[in-house]
Amino acid sequence: MRDEDLDWKIYHILVAGEKYPVREIIDICGVEKEDVLKSLTRLEKNCLIEIYQETQDDGSPLVCARVLSLQETIFRNQIRCVANSANSPVI
C-alpha cells in the first residue's frame, strides 16, 4: 500500500470517531505497526491529527490519536510558519 493511501485510510478511521487508541488503529488497518506509526507521524506533521497520551483507569498510559478541528489545523500551521520564518520572534 502506498504511503498516501495508508494516510488517507487512517485519517478516515479517525474522522469516524472522537479518538482512537493507536493499538486499535493498527488492528483496524491490518498493516504493520511501523507503517501505521509512520503514517500517524506524517499526519501529525501536516497538522491534520494530534497524537497524545492519556492515563487509563488502572494508571497505565494509553497513546491515542484524534483529528484536529479546522481552527486547530490553521493555528498550528500559522505557528509553524512563524517559528520557521527568518524574522520569527520565537527562538
Side-chain angles (χ1 to χ4, degrees):
M1 180 180 296
R2 292 183 349 195
D3 289 346
E4 298 84 8
D5 294 334
L6 181 58
D7 294 354
W8 190 246
K9 180 177 183 174
I10 290 174
Y11 185 79
H12 280 280
I13 290 168
L14 292 172
V15 167
E18 188 174 316
K19 65 178 181 180
Y20 276 95
V22 171
R23 67 176 180 251
E24 283 185 30
I25 298 168
I26 294 167
D27 292 340
I28 293 169
C29 287
V31 296
E32 295 294 322
K33 177 181 178 180
E34 295 79 26
D35 293 334
V36 171
L37 295 176
K38 287 178 187 176
S39 179
L40 289 169
T41 301
R42 285 190 299 272
L43 290 168
E44 185 175 46
K45 182 180 177 184
N46 288 304
C47 300
L48 296 171
I49 69 166
E50 176 183 46
I51 302 169
Y52 61 97
Q53 184 172 323
E54 60 182 40
T55 305
Q56 298 183 73
D57 294 335
D58 64 2
S60 62
L62 179 66
V63 179
C64 296
R66 71 176 185 90
V67 172
L68 294 176
S69 69
L70 179 59
Q71 293 85 355
E72 290 172 309
T73 297
I74 292 169
F75 181 73
R76 288 181 189 209
N77 274 306
Q78 287 176 332
I79 292 296
R80 184 190 306 167
C81 288
V82 168
N84 291 334
S85 169
N87 300 325
S88 173
V90 180
I91 299 175

